[in-house]
Amino acid sequence: MARVLMTTLGSLGDIHPLMAIGLELKKLGHHVVIASSDRHGERVLESGLEFAEIPPRFPEKAEHSRLMKRWMDPKHGTDRVMRE
């Protein structure tokens, strides 16, 4: 059977459809790995699929609020996300 690698850097709305597809592929005998940020690792592993962490690594909660304000700035946010 095939080895399948699926990847996303998105939110739960992105990871859940990949997990559903991955679980169906696994039922058919394929080896499935989902590669995503550290935030999704536990959820993917609990589903029974293999997980591979890829950058970016999410900051700790205390730092997260500060970074979100910086990255979501209407004027400069996109540039900051791409550079940082």
Side-chain angles (χ1 to χ4, degrees), residues 14-73:
D14 298 305
I15 200 81
H16 281 167
L18 288 185
M19 288 171 50
I21 293 167
L23 289 170
E24 290 301 314
L25 289 169
K26 185 177 177 180
K27 284 181 191 175
L28 295 172
H30 301 289
H31 178 87
V32 179
V33 178
I34 294 183
S36 190
S37 66
D38 62 310
R39 177 121 341 138
H40 300 305
E42 187 175 338
R43 180 172 273 111
V44 171
L45 292 170
E46 286 175 353
S47 78
L49 297 172
E50 191 174 327
F51 176 75
E53 183 180 324
I54 58 175
R57 183 169 257 287
F58 277 83
E60 297 300 322
K61 279 194 170 194
E63 180 73 357
H64 188 262
S65 293
R66 186 189 73 76
L67 289 173
M68 289 308 290
K69 286 178 187 172
R70 182 169 172 72
W71 292 340
M72 293 303 193
D73 178 80

